[in-house]
Amino acid sequence: METLVTRYGIARVEGDELAVVDLPYPDLSALLSAGGTLAEVGKAAVMRRLPKNDLDEVAIAPLSPRTTSVWGVGLNYHGKAALTGRPVPTSPILFLKPSSALAGHRDTLVIPTDLTAQFDYEAEVGIVIGRALADVSPSEVLDSVAGIIAANDTTARDVMKATGAPVLAKGFPGCAPLGATVLPWDEIPDPNAIPVASWVDGEQRQSSSTADLIFDVADLVSRLSRYARLEPGDVVLTGTPPGTGQDRNEFLRSGQQVTIAVGGLVPLVNTIS
């Protein structure tokens, strides 16, 4: 049951319809912070129904940019490490994205062309935290995961090379989009093989799954929780597979459309400006 937030309230996807439910929360961050779960969305009474085809027009950000922290990790796919010739890391390369970088489904991503000529896409599985986590073991992590969300961890490769600072290369305002819907963790057919793919103007660029992760979800989130307290509604990105513009030496240009598909979620679509 995919969950989303519309301008009419929290909703669930039911076949070809969006069922807006009777819950007193403005977004999923508020629901999770109040101790709720995505299962409540599946049980709540339906207030109104909308055609699923209207999703692009009615969907708003499912998580609050004011309270959501987004963590990322570099080089977390074996295929990516092999392609680049870099050694497999023994510890995850972690970074925090500024909240001002967050964007939504169908938002236009405005490239600061005075700062970068190598703006790149990165298809990623985002892990939505459901309950607070601090210094937990891998075995404790998954009980506190709410679900997954599609993400595009865009990166200015030339800025990264010049500064060595992920927060600068990945933190441009409104250039880190998250998808429109969240899929509950317990509804994922195989959590160790979540598909992730990207397309640019309809041409497929990436195709892999979390089976290729160097640090799997439980291990990655556990390691991060040793250093930072993760709050309900936070998102942990899990890295990107090979096939990025960096790998192809072909970066994004104005007018192009990037599509990110994660599991069975509604694909995340954004246009570059």
Side-chain angles (χ1 to χ4, degrees):
M1 174 210 62
E2 287 181 83
T3 299
L4 68 153
V5 178
T6 75
R7 60 173 178 256
Y8 305 108
I10 294 176
R12 60 182 184 249
V13 178
E14 292 186 351
D16 293 330
E17 293 184 323
L18 306 177
V20 181
V21 299
D22 185 17
L23 287 175
Y25 305 104
D27 52 44
L28 299 184
S29 293
L31 168 66
L32 298 172
S33 295
T37 68
L38 297 183
E40 293 184 34
V41 181
K43 299 174 183 177
V46 177
M47 302 296 290
R48 67 186 300 171
R49 294 183 180 275
L50 305 166
K52 186 178 177 182
N53 290 340
D54 288 352
L55 185 146
D56 287 353
E57 285 69 42
V58 301
I60 60 176
L63 302 169
S64 170
R66 297 185 301 277
T67 60
T68 297
S69 293
V70 177
W71 291 87
V73 58
L75 200 64
N76 197 31
Y77 274 78
H78 287 283
K80 184 76 167 176
L83 181 66
T84 61
R86 295 167 62 185
V88 173
T90 57
S91 297
I93 306 163
L94 299 167
F95 56 87
L96 181 64
K97 301 176 75 74
S99 60
S100 58
L102 296 185
H105 174 60
R106 289 291 180 184
D107 284 352
T108 297
L109 311 185
V110 182
I111 303 175
T113 53
D114 57 327
L115 294 175
T116 179
Q118 297 182 346
F119 193 72
D120 204 355
Y121 54 90
E122 294 188 18
E124 307 210 6
V125 178
I127 305 301
V128 180
I129 303 300
R131 291 186 291 184
L133 290 170
D135 195 17
V136 299
S137 68
S139 64
E140 298 173 281
V141 166
L142 298 184
D143 285 341
S144 295
V145 169
I148 60 172
I149 193 169
N152 185 356
D153 182 24
T154 63
T155 305
R157 302 296 181 184
D158 42 5
V159 174
M160 179 70 84
K161 182 177 180 180
T163 67
V167 69
L168 299 181
K170 298 170 174 285
F172 297 132
C175 284
L178 298 175
T181 61
V182 177
L183 182 66
W185 184 259
D186 59 7
E187 294 185 21
I188 299 170
D190 185 352
N192 293 314
I194 302 169
V196 57
S198 69
W199 292 259
V200 177
D201 287 344
E203 176 190 6
Q204 187 160 17
R205 299 291 181 86
Q206 294 174 280
S207 180
S208 187
S209 84
T210 54
D212 194 42
L213 290 179
I214 295 170
F215 304 99
D216 66 22
V217 171
D219 188 20
L220 177 64
V221 175
S222 170
R223 289 171 183 259
L224 175 55
S225 78
R226 298 174 193 172
Y227 301 96
R229 177 184 170 92
L230 301 174
E231 300 290 350
D234 285 351
V235 177
V236 179
L237 306 183
T238 52
T240 198
T244 63
Q246 179 187 48
D247 301 331
R248 304 163 58 95
N249 194 31
E250 186 177 353
F251 300 102
L252 293 172
R253 305 183 305 275
S254 178
Q256 290 187 308
Q257 185 179 83
V258 181
T259 302
I260 308 293
V262 167
L265 292 164
V266 170
L268 167 64
V269 179
N270 298 98
T271 300
I272 306 302
S273 175

